[in-house]
């Protein structure tokens, strides 16, 4: 039994997945080859082939205990959705048989009216479609066969996170192949590979359920700091507690059974914080796997009397949690295009791809910032544990030296002076490990991949990956246009690299991104600073961005405006829920508890002075005075907060920039002021009277 007895990992891994070995076993060879071609080349699958695949998939799933199937999709809620249908079909004699057709495999019709659509669908327009993504393996979970799908409206607009992701993968494949052809590379397909590192907190479930802020919002809205936080750096990579280790073990086994490449686990910087990192895999599969991972993390925690917190900043004053999205591109035969090759021509190709990313990041700072924008991530970005809300790029000293040499026509090796000419036969070798690590950079090149550190722990990785794919595809398209038209490829390549470096060098930064001085330097460089989601999200629909996404077929103008509205609406509603939760906690729990404690103090003063006038009760009087003043302030502040919520709700639309600005500039400061007062009260009131578990109890798991 998983988690109870020793397991054989190779046998367990993928045991609940309809993967290639299973396909080979259960499908006729002709059907298997047709399906493989569809998966490799994105070709449509003939219905007759789909019928054979569906029957085999159903028969296999029945052996795993499945009785139902579901089209599993990713609406714009940030979580997944599923509607389960049984395999049963009446046989005409009062009995049933188990059937599953190719049509049911390929297409579903869930109700689309109640998912966020940003105006793409009216409430009465209920029809939506799910379409099978054959490049992401089906799997059995519980009693159902899960079929990964895309989700779109009756009119064909994307209503999910997967459809744009798949479109962006096609865009980068098309443009990367154009570049490879110029270098004589005959690769047939380029894929994006992703490995999202997932940070999270674990807390005791009984304490989780006793705090309304955690259960309603995923983060603590009040909480005085404990005497010991993370100052000693003793939790990072430290000994994993037995209770947490047991959770990690069972989590690994559940993930491995579903074919998820869970690889690394360790304690993170804050008490109670941990990380799980997978191996790289194809982008859409990696996104599917990360969504599954987050769901299973939460479910598995319950079985260990724990709660898994995926919020970006569940506790003030200590590290928040990110989802570091590691991104790379490779040919289908396994050649990583972000790794220096063994020959000069491969090195020139490598430098061109790095330059394409450099141009993309500088030209589209706003989109990268938007891809990580949310009310919850605003709590994390800019803290000393996370990069600021300024996009910059780190490539390491050696690559910077090479770029400088190219820009100034000199050799980067001081032992061999002379002009550096980036020809396909003249470029000297480049070491494969060309960078150190810069943990403070929002986007760092780490040897053969880029690590995007801005995204938050709770969000889908699909958004950041879709943006990154699209902006890099656009740079590659521009490069290909120039080089394909050139008479002298080597000369044009040199000129292109030099021009790109000169135009976009400002985006390179190798210093401390946590330092406040960087904000001033970034402004001097002309880099964008969009400190909050309310500042960033309205940039999504600028003419530049609409043209970019339409040029590569990733989003239409209509789809972009819809997504902007959804992002703004989510931002406003998140803050409204948090503010309303604070009001309820204060009025129904905290103020009554503080008043009771004040009464106890007053009763003590009366009792002691009644015994003898010699009892001065200076401590009790001073404490009662402080608490009384803070109690009055708390009541004034909670009343003011209620008024700011009402004013926000009265505005035209949750999805408007004006409403987001109100919640950002009016509601949030009111929340911060109330929190400061209440947290001070917590340090003065007896712990026996305080209605909620303290930070110390929450973050130090026993």
């Amino acid at each position: 039994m998983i988690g109870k007895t020793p397991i054989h990992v190779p046998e367990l891994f993928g045991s609940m997945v309809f993967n290639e070995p299973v396909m080979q076993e259960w499908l006729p060879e002709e059907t298997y080859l047709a399906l493989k071609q569809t998966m490799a080349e994105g070709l449509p699958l003939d219905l007759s082939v789909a019928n054979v695949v569906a029957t085999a998939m159903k028969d296999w799933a029945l052996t795993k205990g499945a009785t139902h199937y579901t089209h599993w999709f990713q609406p714009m809620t940030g979580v997944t959705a599923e509607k389960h249908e049984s395999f049963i079909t009446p046989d005409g004699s009062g009995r049933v048989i188990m059937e599953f057709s190719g049509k049911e495999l390929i297409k579903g019709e869930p109700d689309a009216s109640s998912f966020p659509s940003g105006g793409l669908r009216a409430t009465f327009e209920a029809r939506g479609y799910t379409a099978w993504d054959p490049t992401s393996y089906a799997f059995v979970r519980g009693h159902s066969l899960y079929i990964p799908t895309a989700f779109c409206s009756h009119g064909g607009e994307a209503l999910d996170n997967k459809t744009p992701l798949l479109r962006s993968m096609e865009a980068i494949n098309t443009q990367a192949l154009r570049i490879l052809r110029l270098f004589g590379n005959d690769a047939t397909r380029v894929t994006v590979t992703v490995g999202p590192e997932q940070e999270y907190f674990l807390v005791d479930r009984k304490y989780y359920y006793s705090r309304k802020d955690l259960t309603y919002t995923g983060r603590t809205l009040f909480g005085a700091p404990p005497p010991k936080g993370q100052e000693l750096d003793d939790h990072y990579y430290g000994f994993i507690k037995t209770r947490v280790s047991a959770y990690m073990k069972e989590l690994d086994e559940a993930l491995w059974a579903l074919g998820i490449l869970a690889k690394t686990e360790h304690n993170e910087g804050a008490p109670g914080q941990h990380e799980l990192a997978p191996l790289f895999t194809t982008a859409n599969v990696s996104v599917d796997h990360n969504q599954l991972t987050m769901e299973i993390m939460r479910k598995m925690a319950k079985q260990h009397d724990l709660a898994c917190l995926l919020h970006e900043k569940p506790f003030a004053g200590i590290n928040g949690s990110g989802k570091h999205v590691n991104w790379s591109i490779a040919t289908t035969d396994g050649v990583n295009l972000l790794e220096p090759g063994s020959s000069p021509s491969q090195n020139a190709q490598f430098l061109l791809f790095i330059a394409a990313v450099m141009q993309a990041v500088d030209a589209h700072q706003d989109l990268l910032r938007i891809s990580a924008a949310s009310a919850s991530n605003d709590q994390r970005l800019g803290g000393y544990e996370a990069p600021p809300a300024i996009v910059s790029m780190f490539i390491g000293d050696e690559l910077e030296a090479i770029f400088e040499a190219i820009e100034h026509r000199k050799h980067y090796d001081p032992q061999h002076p002379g002009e550096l000419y980036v020809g396909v036969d003249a470029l000297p070798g480049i070491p494969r490990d060309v960078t150190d690590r810069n943990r403070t950079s929002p986007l760092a090149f780490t040897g053969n991949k880029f690590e995007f550190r801005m995204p938050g722990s709770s969000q889908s990785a699909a958004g950041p990956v879709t943006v990154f794919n699209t902006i890099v595809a656009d740079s590659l398209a521009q490069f290909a246009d120039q080089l394909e038209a050139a008479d002298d490829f080597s000369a044009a390549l040199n000129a292109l690299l030099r021009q790109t470096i000169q135009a976009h060098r400002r985006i390179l930064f190798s210093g401390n991104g946590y330092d406040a001085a960087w904000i001033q330097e970034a402004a001097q460089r002309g880099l964008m600073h969009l400190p909050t989601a309310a500042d960033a999200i309205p940039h999504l629909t600028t003419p530049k961005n609409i043209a970019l996404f339409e040029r590569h077929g990733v989003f239409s103008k209509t789809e972009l405006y819809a997504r902007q509205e959804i992002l703004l609406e989510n931002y406003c509603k998140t803050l409204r829920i948090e503010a309303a939760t604070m009001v309820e906690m204060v009025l129904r729990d905290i103020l009554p508890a503080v008043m009771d404690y004040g009464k106890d103090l007053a009763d003590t003063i009366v009792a002691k002075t009644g015994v003898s006038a010699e009892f001065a009760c200076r401590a009790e009087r001073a404490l009662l005075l402080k608490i009384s003043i803070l109690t009055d302030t708390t009541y004034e502040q909670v009343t003011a907060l209620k008024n700011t919520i009402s004013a926000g709700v009265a505005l035209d639309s949750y999805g408007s920039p004006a409403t987001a600005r109100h919640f950002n500039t009016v509601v949030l400061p009111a929340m911060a002021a109330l929190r400061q007062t209440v947290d001070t009260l917590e340090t003065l009131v007896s712990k026996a009277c305080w209605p909620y578990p303290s930070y110390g109890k929450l973050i130090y798991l026993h």
Side-chain angles (χ1 to χ4, degrees):
M1 190 173 174
I2 292 178
K4 301 296 182 181
T5 57
I7 59 166
H8 185 234
V9 175
E11 184 178 308
L12 171 67
F13 188 84
S15 57
M16 305 302 285
V17 183
F18 194 73
N19 53 24
E20 284 197 42
V22 176
M23 291 178 195
Q24 286 182 299
E25 179 183 352
W26 288 79
L27 293 175
E29 183 178 3
E30 183 179 345
T31 305
Y32 169 73
L33 293 176
L35 180 57
K36 281 288 292 177
Q37 187 175 18
T38 292
M39 295 170 65
E41 302 177 20
L43 299 176
L45 194 66
D46 185 85
L47 184 58
S48 61
V49 176
N51 282 327
V52 177
V53 174
T55 298
M57 199 179 280
K58 177 260 300 179
D59 290 343
W60 167 81
L62 293 177
T63 69
K64 300 295 181 179
T67 56
H68 290 66
Y69 71 93
T70 178
H71 276 201
W72 182 65
F73 57 102
Q74 299 172 32
M76 290 181 284
T77 56
V79 295
T80 61
E82 53 199 61
K83 180 180 77 169
H84 299 257
E85 304 275 0
S86 71
F87 290 124
I88 65 169
T89 301
D91 68 355
S93 67
R95 298 176 179 270
V96 296
I97 57 174
M98 306 297 266
E99 287 190 339
F100 185 47
S101 70
K103 182 179 178 181
E104 291 169 318
L105 168 63
I106 291 174
K107 179 182 172 184
E109 295 188 14
D111 187 328
S113 62
S114 297
F115 292 109
S117 72
L120 291 174
R121 306 292 291 156
T123 302
F124 62 85
E125 295 175 314
R127 191 180 297 279
Y129 295 110
T130 49
W132 177 36
D133 173 14
T135 62
S136 185
Y137 297 133
F139 56 91
V140 170
R141 186 179 175 200
H143 69 286
S144 289
L145 170 68
Y146 281 68
I147 302 161
T149 59
F151 180 44
C152 66
S153 72
H154 183 259
E157 299 94 350
L159 296 175
D160 66 343
N161 293 317
K162 170 166 275 197
T163 301
L165 174 63
L166 294 173
R167 293 170 180 171
S168 72
M169 292 171 67
E170 279 303 312
I172 202 166
N173 169 63
T174 299
Q175 303 306 331
L177 287 178
R178 291 176 66 192
I179 295 295
L180 293 181
R181 296 291 176 267
L182 293 166
F183 286 93
N185 189 317
D186 59 358
T188 58
R189 192 165 184 84
V190 170
T191 61
V192 176
T193 57
V194 169
E197 303 170 22
Q198 182 68 54
E199 295 177 341
Y200 61 98
F201 280 83
L202 291 175
V203 299
D204 196 296
R205 198 155 195 84
K206 65 182 178 183
Y207 296 142
Y208 170 82
Y209 277 127
S210 64
R211 291 201 57 129
K212 295 177 182 177
D213 47 5
L214 281 180
T215 54
Y216 290 158
T217 75
R219 77 178 179 106
T220 53
L221 300 170
F222 299 109
K228 178 180 181 289
Q230 61 186 71
E231 303 91 337
L232 300 180
D233 300 319
D234 53 347
H235 190 260
Y236 191 52
Y237 279 28
F239 173 76
I240 300 174
K241 293 179 179 178
T242 303
R243 190 175 176 188
V244 175
S245 181
Y247 165 78
M248 288 180 170
K249 178 180 183 295
E250 197 164 346
L251 174 63
D252 279 340
E253 292 168 5
L255 296 177
W256 289 338
L258 292 172
I260 298 173
L261 294 160
K263 178 70 172 177
T264 304
E265 56 195 27
H266 60 82
N267 288 348
E268 257 297 334
Q273 188 183 33
H274 312 280
E275 180 179 296
L276 184 150
L279 294 174
F280 273 60
T281 190
T282 308
N284 61 315
V285 176
S286 182
V287 168
D288 286 355
H289 283 180
N290 183 250
Q291 291 294 128
L292 265 177
T293 296
M294 291 191 289
E295 291 175 14
I296 294 171
M297 287 171 109
R298 293 188 181 102
K299 179 180 179 182
M300 196 66 66
K302 294 179 183 179
Q303 299 175 18
H304 291 260
D305 291 324
L306 299 169
C308 176
L309 307 181
L310 294 174
H311 193 284
E312 282 72 13
K313 195 75 169 180
F315 304 105
I318 62 176
N319 281 11
S321 295
K323 189 195 305 286
H324 303 163
V325 178
N326 294 283
W327 181 96
S328 190
I329 45 178
T331 61
T332 49
D333 55 358
V335 177
N336 187 332
L337 300 177
L338 296 183
E339 190 165 16
S342 57
S343 69
S345 64
Q346 290 174 323
N347 287 334
Q349 176 183 287
F350 160 76
L351 288 178
L352 190 62
F353 275 95
I354 297 294
V357 175
M358 177 182 175
Q359 174 176 287
V361 172
D362 187 28
H364 301 289
Q365 302 165 44
D366 53 347
L367 287 176
L368 286 169
R369 172 65 184 95
I370 292 166
S371 77
S374 68
S376 54
N377 209 24
D378 280 355
Q379 301 291 329
R380 165 181 166 265
L381 291 178
Y384 68 91
E385 84 283 3
I390 300 171
V391 174
S392 65
M393 179 174 163
F394 170 81
I395 60 172
D397 293 341
E398 187 141 24
L399 271 180
E400 279 212 56
I402 293 170
F403 274 17
E404 184 177 355
I406 293 170
E407 181 181 2
H408 298 290
R409 299 175 180 269
K410 63 181 182 181
H411 204 288
Y412 82 95
D413 184 351
Q415 297 178 0
H416 300 90
E419 184 175 296
L420 176 60
Y421 182 78
V422 187
V424 295
D425 59 354
L427 184 69
I430 299 174
R432 289 181 179 271
D433 190 7
V434 294
T435 71
D436 195 355
R437 284 180 174 265
N438 187 330
R439 304 294 290 177
T440 74
S441 176
L443 186 68
F445 182 63
T446 58
N448 59 4
K449 63 184 183 299
F450 283 93
E451 182 182 18
F452 187 29
R453 295 173 55 82
M454 290 182 82
S457 52
S458 68
Q459 74 177 99
S460 167
V465 176
T466 297
V467 166
F468 211 85
N469 290 352
T470 307
I471 64 175
V472 174
D474 197 61
S475 286
L476 293 174
Q478 294 177 41
F479 287 4
D481 288 344
Q482 288 183 247
L483 295 175
E484 286 170 351
D487 294 326
D488 185 334
F489 173 71
S490 294
L493 177 61
N494 273 271
L496 176 59
L497 283 172
R498 190 171 297 112
Q499 292 163 6
T500 303
I501 294 165
Q502 289 170 344
H504 302 288
R505 173 175 283 280
R506 66 174 184 168
I507 202 67
L508 299 181
F509 178 63
S510 58
N512 182 4
Y514 298 168
D515 194 329
W518 165 233
I519 297 177
Q520 295 180 341
E521 183 181 336
Q524 292 170 356
R525 294 187 183 197
L527 301 182
M528 299 181 77
H529 185 201
L530 302 169
T532 72
D535 298 306
I537 294 168
H539 287 263
L540 183 61
T541 54
T542 61
K544 167 187 77 83
N545 292 335
I546 292 172
L548 166 76
F549 285 114
E550 288 193 329
R551 190 159 56 242
H552 295 284
V554 176
F555 288 117
S556 67
K557 180 178 179 178
T558 303
E559 288 172 331
L560 275 180
Y561 271 101
R563 274 159 173 74
Q564 178 175 284
E565 182 176 324
I566 290 167
L567 288 170
L568 290 170
E569 185 175 292
N570 184 273
Y571 177 82
C572 295
K573 287 183 176 179
T574 296
L575 293 181
R576 186 200 65 77
I577 292 168
E578 290 184 350
T581 300
M582 292 183 84
V583 169
E584 179 172 317
M585 291 174 72
V586 168
L587 292 180
R588 300 186 65 180
D589 297 323
I590 293 172
L591 276 181
V594 172
M595 291 173 180
D596 285 346
Y597 184 62
K599 180 179 181 299
D600 289 345
L601 286 172
D603 290 345
T604 300
I605 294 169
V606 170
K608 291 176 72 173
T609 54
V611 171
S612 171
E614 294 183 4
F615 291 125
C617 300
R618 285 189 295 271
E620 292 92 335
R621 293 176 190 273
L623 188 56
L624 180 59
L625 178 61
K626 287 181 181 179
I627 288 174
S628 296
I629 293 171
L630 289 172
T631 300
D632 289 342
T633 302
T634 298
Y635 184 74
E636 292 165 3
Q637 290 174 333
V638 77
T639 302
L641 180 57
K642 284 181 66 177
N643 292 334
T644 68
I645 298 170
S646 298
V649 172
L651 293 174
D652 289 342
S653 167
Y654 276 124
S656 74
T659 309
R661 180 58 51 199
H662 172 81
F663 276 93
N664 177 246
T665 60
V666 179
V667 177
L668 267 175
M671 292 169 62
L674 177 60
R675 174 170 190 156
Q676 184 176 12
T677 304
V678 171
D679 287 357
T680 303
L681 276 171
E682 184 182 352
T683 66
L684 301 174
V685 173
S686 165
K687 70 176 183 179
C689 294
W690 196 253
Y692 297 114
S694 68
Y695 266 24
K697 284 186 176 180
L698 285 166
I699 65 177
Y700 289 103
L701 189 65
H702 298 292

